[in-house]
Amino acid sequence: MASLFSPPLHRQRHQFIIDFVKRDKPKKVVDLGCSKCCLIKNLRFHREIELLVGVDINLAKVTKKMHELAPLSTEYLQPRCSPLSIELYQGSVTEKDARLRGFDLLTSVELIEHLPLADVERFSEVVFGYMTPVSVIISTPNSEFNPLLPGLTGFRHSDHKFEWTRAEFQSWAMKVCEEFGYEVQFTGVGQAPPVQQERVGFCSQIAVFQRRGGRLGLNVQSSDDPNQVFSYKLLYSVTYPSLRDNNILRRVLVCEVLYWAEKLKRGWMEKKTDGGDETYTLSKTLSKRRFGFENMHERLEPDMDRTCEEETKTSAGRCEGAASEDEEGVYEEAFWTDSGGQETKQRRYVSCVPLALLCSSCPKVSSLSGSLTNLRHLLLDEPSVTLTQDGSAVRLMDKEQEQEEADNDDLEDSGYTEMSHCSLGAVQEEDWEADL
Ligand code: SAM
């Protein structure tokens, strides 16, 4: 039969649901009779959906490929904005389970014809009377189409308990609507040749139900109701990485911030090497983490007792931590290092990239953080990002210098420099306190 239709009939049925999802944007979707979870596999790429649930009575079918529902590595690289959880249950659609109440969309693709007629009654009561989803899509074979299927005698599948004509399907659907407060429209997939279309209808007939009153008027039991029923067995559950998870949000944000800060810095450096720019001023540093002591005292200028705060008020000097949101650029910074008891003056380039500038240059940074205050907050304890002391800008050192310092820090960690600097460390600690 597959060769009769292009695309194959099962794909057309799933495509019908995917198109509905694109239009209607349901957040919670349950697929009854999910079998090997083909539809769920497709639906997980639709980013509006936040909860996807599959139910089937057949354990072997569900478990066969359920691990393919685990997030792909790309989901970690580009996490979704909204969350997604997938849950698979073993259970019968004739039984109630409180976890399936209040969904936006319930699908049941080629399932009801596998139920004895008495169970179809129970199915109607469970789906429309208890689960009360906003929308329901049910597909089932249209027996009027069967004479067009080559070589078919009897039902299309040995497990089918019945196959309905269009009138039979519609009669059942209308009764359900009347009883449980729904409206229904009929359509289908798998077209007959044009001359026979009207006479035989679609190969798979589809009913699309909408609850009267739509999303309003839901009467779902609260989760602490003692009469709740849990008859399904949870087989599989997975949560996809999403930006709603603060750790993931922070990781993505940090990548963006570092990328854009480096990009802006490179632009400034290029300008600088192209002929100098008066905005790049000589800066003095008050702190330098090196060789096991926190901060070297400023010794570059004669007026060495000025505090960091005072220094920012002067026109020429800047110090680490002094950049504010309207101060950006690359600064030459001088600092002292101690090597074997000999203090040496060195210089390096430091860039200060204001967070406000990052927000305005990169829409993703702005949308991920939501506000400048949030951005600052999210970056505060982030080890890979150094903020200026007032937290208004990202501070970037020249990469090679950074590496060199990291190497020296490693030496320090190995104990190599410990002996010669342990006493000096205490003195410097006091100096730093004074500067603050
Ligand atoms: N919906 C699937 C799809 O679109 O690929 C195919 C469904 S398959 C034809 C019918 C499924 O219904 C089977 O996986 C079967 O195990 C399941 N099923 C039959 N009776 C059921 C019941 N009472 N409760 C839940 N699932 C049932």
Side-chain angles (χ1 to χ4, degrees):
M1 190 165 61
S3 59
L4 261 190
F5 298 101
S6 176
L9 197 57
H10 68 275
R11 287 234 185 98
Q12 292 192 36
R13 288 191 289 256
H14 289 179
Q15 192 57 47
F16 180 88
I17 290 167
I18 289 165
D19 291 342
F20 182 92
V21 164
K22 282 185 190 158
R23 279 193 311 274
D24 208 60
K25 305 195 186 320
K27 279 191 162 58
K28 294 168 75 179
V29 179
V30 54
D31 184 31
L32 301 184
C34 62
S35 190
K36 293 175 198 152
C37 309
C38 284
L39 181 60
I40 292 176
K41 254 176 232 161
N42 273 316
L43 288 178
R44 73 192 155 138
F45 298 115
H46 293 272
R47 302 227 156 185
E48 301 81 17
I49 299 176
E50 297 186 358
L51 176 61
L52 254 177
V53 172
V55 179
D56 203 290
I57 202 166
N58 188 320
L59 178 75
K61 278 188 180 175
V62 181
T63 50
K64 189 161 185 192
K65 295 191 173 174
M66 67 183 183
H67 292 289
E68 292 175 14
L69 292 171
L72 307 169
S73 52
T74 48
E75 297 278 351
Y76 291 94
L77 293 172
Q78 283 211 308
R80 306 158 48 101
C81 291
S82 50
L84 170 66
S85 295
I86 301 179
E87 293 167 6
L88 301 177
Y89 294 93
Q90 182 191 21
S92 172
V93 294
T94 57
E95 302 290 332
K96 297 173 179 171
D97 190 295
R99 290 165 290 193
L100 295 199
R101 303 196 79 201
F103 275 62
D104 299 305
L105 173 63
L106 180 147
T107 59
S108 162
V109 180
E110 309 294 280
L111 161 67
I112 56 170
E113 64 277 8
H114 291 266
L115 305 176
L117 280 171
D119 281 353
V120 176
E121 286 283 302
R122 274 199 278 277
F123 168 86
S124 310
E125 154 59 22
V126 167
V127 168
F128 296 95
Y130 178 78
M131 294 180 182
T132 60
V134 178
S135 310
V136 179
I137 299 177
I138 293 184
S139 87
T140 190
N142 166 19
S143 63
E144 291 169 83
F145 197 99
N146 285 357
L148 299 190
L149 300 175
L152 180 70
T153 51
F155 291 150
R156 295 182 194 176
H157 191 278
S158 57
D159 189 52
H160 286 182
K161 309 297 185 297
F162 60 87
E163 286 176 1
W164 279 335
T165 63
R166 282 173 289 174
E168 285 168 327
F169 182 44
Q170 290 175 17
S171 155
W172 166 79
M174 300 302 277
K175 194 165 155 275
V176 159
C177 287
E178 218 170 275
E179 200 172 337
F180 300 106
Y182 279 77
E183 283 165 359
V184 66
Q185 290 188 322
F186 300 99
T187 178
V189 292
Q191 285 205 326
V195 284
Q196 290 163 309
Q197 178 67 39
E198 204 176 317
R199 188 174 56 81
V200 299
F202 292 101
C203 188
S204 274
Q205 48 186 339
I206 296 177
V208 180
F209 300 81
Q210 296 288 347
R211 201 179 54 216
R212 288 197 195 107
R215 285 188 165 87
L216 302 169
L218 244 187
N219 183 24
V220 178
Q221 276 173 305
S222 76
S223 55
D224 50 9
D225 187 326
N227 298 319
Q228 283 194 109
V229 200
F230 298 99
S231 56
Y232 296 172
K233 181 181 170 198
L234 181 66
L235 299 174
Y236 182 75
S237 165
V238 66
T239 299
Y240 274 53
S242 91
L243 297 174
R244 294 275 180 92
D245 177 330
N246 236 10
N247 289 331
I248 292 171
L249 171 67
R250 205 186 293 261
R251 179 173 58 72
V252 173
L253 185 66
V254 164
C255 285
E256 286 297 321
V257 162
L258 290 177
Y259 171 81
W260 280 91
E262 276 294 334
K263 195 176 154 108
L264 289 162
K265 177 187 117 178
R266 242 178 291 134
W268 293 331
M269 292 294 277
E270 273 165 26
K271 265 200 226 162
K272 186 173 168 61
T273 48
D274 276 357
D277 183 319
E278 63 202 13
T279 62
Y280 304 119
T281 54
L282 177 68
S283 166
K284 299 181 293 177
T285 185
L286 291 176
S287 69
K288 175 76 185 82
R289 185 175 178 277
R290 194 157 180 152
F291 295 122
F293 51 87
E294 271 294 310
N295 300 290
M296 291 291 296
H297 200 59
E298 171 58 49
R299 288 149 203 248
L300 185 64
E301 300 288 313
D303 50 350
M304 55 203 267
D305 289 335
R306 281 185 304 165
T307 64
C308 177
E309 211 172 53
E310 286 164 348
E311 192 162 80
T312 58
K313 290 179 191 147
T314 68
S315 56
R318 286 172 194 264
C319 65
E320 178 181 318
S324 66
E325 283 156 23
D326 56 352
E327 292 174 309
E328 64 195 46
V330 182
Y331 305 103
E332 197 176 327
E333 202 177 61
F335 60 98
W336 291 86
T337 56
D338 190 305
S339 48
Q342 274 252 309
E343 291 186 349
T344 321
K345 188 172 80 179
Q346 293 192 16
R347 285 166 194 280
R348 65 181 169 198
Y349 287 120
V350 172
S351 312
C352 286
V353 187
L355 300 187
L357 180 65
L358 283 168
C359 275
S360 60
S361 312
C362 172
K364 194 166 175 190
V365 169
S366 156
S367 68
L368 284 172
S369 54
S371 72
L372 206 54
T373 315
N374 273 352
L375 177 60
R376 193 171 298 155
H377 181 73
L378 285 161
L379 296 178
L380 258 185
D381 298 323
E382 185 48 51
S384 52
V385 176
T386 311
L387 293 183
T388 51
Q389 265 180 6
D390 68 354
S392 68
V394 174
R395 196 169 181 278
L396 293 173
M397 262 200 288
D398 181 76
K399 278 274 171 248
E400 280 171 25
Q401 285 173 335
E402 215 169 19
Q403 185 53 49
E404 192 189 311
E405 287 183 23
D407 293 346
N408 283 327
D409 282 349
D410 288 347
L411 275 182
E412 171 209 338
D413 291 345
S414 68
Y416 181 72
T417 55
E418 196 179 341
M419 288 300 287
S420 53
H421 299 288
C422 55
S423 57
L424 195 55
V427 176
Q428 298 307 325
E429 192 71 25
E430 274 177 31
D431 284 346
W432 173 238
E433 299 279 335
D435 284 332
L436 276 177

